[in-house]
Amino acid sequence: MNSPASTTNSPLAIELDQVKCSYGDRTVLENISFAVKRAEIFFIIGGSGCGKSTLLRHMIGLKHPMKGSVKYFGRDFTRATAGERQELLRTFGVLYQSGALWSSMTLGENVGLPLELLTELDRSERGQIVALKLAQVGLAGYEDYYPSEISGGMRKRAGLARALALDPGIVFFDEPGAGLDPITSLKLDELVQEIRDTLGTTIVIVSHELASIFDIADRVVMLDREVKGIIAEGDPKELRDHSKDIRVREFLNRREETVHRQSAQDTK
C-alpha cells in the first residue's frame, strides 16, 4: 500500500523552506526552515503559545502557509494539484492529541476507516489489516471495543493504529503524552521507538514534555513566541548542556517532568 511518493530517492522525508504561518493579519511564525531525515524521530518543541500546533496544522495541510514550501520525499506539497495532494496525504498519518476516534464506531471500524475511504480493498482484506495494526500497538483482540470502553492510553494507541493503517512513511503526533500518567507516557514513547525501528517510519512529534524529548528524540527544533521562529536546532541533550541561548537552556533544564519519568522507569 505504500504510496509512490514514499519510494522516491530523496534522503529527506520532510523539507520546510521559509514557511510563514498566519491567521489573517496575525503572523504566528515566519522564516521556518528545517529538514527531517527518513526514519528520524524529530521533535518540534517550545513553550505554550509558541506556535507548535500551528506549524503542525500547516505541515499536514489543514492550513495553507502564507509563504514558503513544504515538501514530502522531495515533492512539493504546498504547490501540488488536488490530485497530487491526495496522493501525498497518503504518505503520512496523524495522531491527534485526543486520539480523535469516532465514539460511535468500534476500534476496528475507526482503524479501518482510512482503508474503506482510500483503498479498493474488500471487507475481509480490510479486517486483516485492522487486526495487524491493532496488534502492532498492543491492542490485539480489541476490534469490537468502543473508545468509551478503554483507557486514555489505549485510545492513543488505537489512534496510532489508525494513523498507521495506510503504511505511511511519516507519522505526526500532536502532544501524544497529554493527559497520560508517566508510566503510560513512557510506554507510548517505547512504542514510537519500536515503530520507527521496525517499520522505518519517520516520526514528527509536537511536544513540550522533557521526558519524551530526552528519551527518544534524535533531533529537535525549538520555537519561540517572541521571535516567531526557530531559536535552536539539534540534539536536545547537546542543546541542554551547551546552547549559548539562555531561553533554550532554561527550557531544557526544567526538572519536574524528568524526575517523574525516572520514577516511572524505576516502577516498571
Side-chain angles (χ1 to χ4, degrees), residues 72-141:
Y72 291 109
F73 303 106
R75 299 176 63 185
D76 195 331
F77 182 64
T78 313
R79 296 173 178 82
T81 65
E84 290 169 339
R85 284 174 69 86
Q86 280 299 115
E87 183 182 350
L88 284 166
L89 282 169
R90 294 183 57 175
T91 68
F92 58 81
V94 183
L95 175 60
Y96 296 98
Q97 188 173 137
S98 64
L101 299 173
W102 292 97
S103 60
S104 61
M105 300 172 69
T106 65
L107 300 190
E109 290 168 339
N110 268 285
V111 176
L113 189 58
L115 298 167
E116 183 176 354
L117 295 176
L118 299 172
T119 75
E120 297 180 357
L121 298 173
D122 62 32
R123 185 179 185 134
S124 175
E125 292 170 324
R126 294 198 304 268
Q128 293 175 25
I129 294 173
V130 166
L132 172 63
K133 297 308 175 183
L134 286 171
Q136 284 179 340
V137 301
L139 292 176

Side-chain angles (χ1 to χ4, degrees), residues 252-263:
L252 292 173
N253 277 286
R254 293 174 291 133
R255 293 287 301 163
E256 184 176 3
E257 294 177 46
T258 51
V259 170
H260 287 167
R261 172 58 61 87
Q262 187 60 54
S263 298

Side-chain angles (χ1 to χ4, degrees), residues 58-75:
H58 283 75
M59 291 175 69
I60 64 177
L62 295 179
K63 292 284 292 181
H64 192 81
M66 294 294 292
K67 179 183 175 184
S69 66
V70 179
K71 292 182 179 180
Y72 291 109
F73 303 106
R75 299 176 63 185

Side-chain angles (χ1 to χ4, degrees), residues 46-52 208 225 251:
S48 298
C50 70
K52 300 187 299 294
H208 67 277
R225 183 175 184 177
F251 181 87

Side-chain angles (χ1 to χ4, degrees), residues 4 8 42 62 69 89 122 129-130 132 140 158 167 182 184 188 194 199 203 219 224 229 233 235 238 242 262:
T8 62
F42 187 90
L62 295 179
S69 66
L89 282 169
D122 62 32
I129 294 173
V130 166
L132 172 63
D167 292 331
T184 304
L188 183 59
E194 181 181 337
L199 302 179
I203 307 291
R219 286 190 306 127
D224 181 77
E233 179 176 353
D235 182 306
E238 288 291 320
H242 303 296
Q262 187 60 54

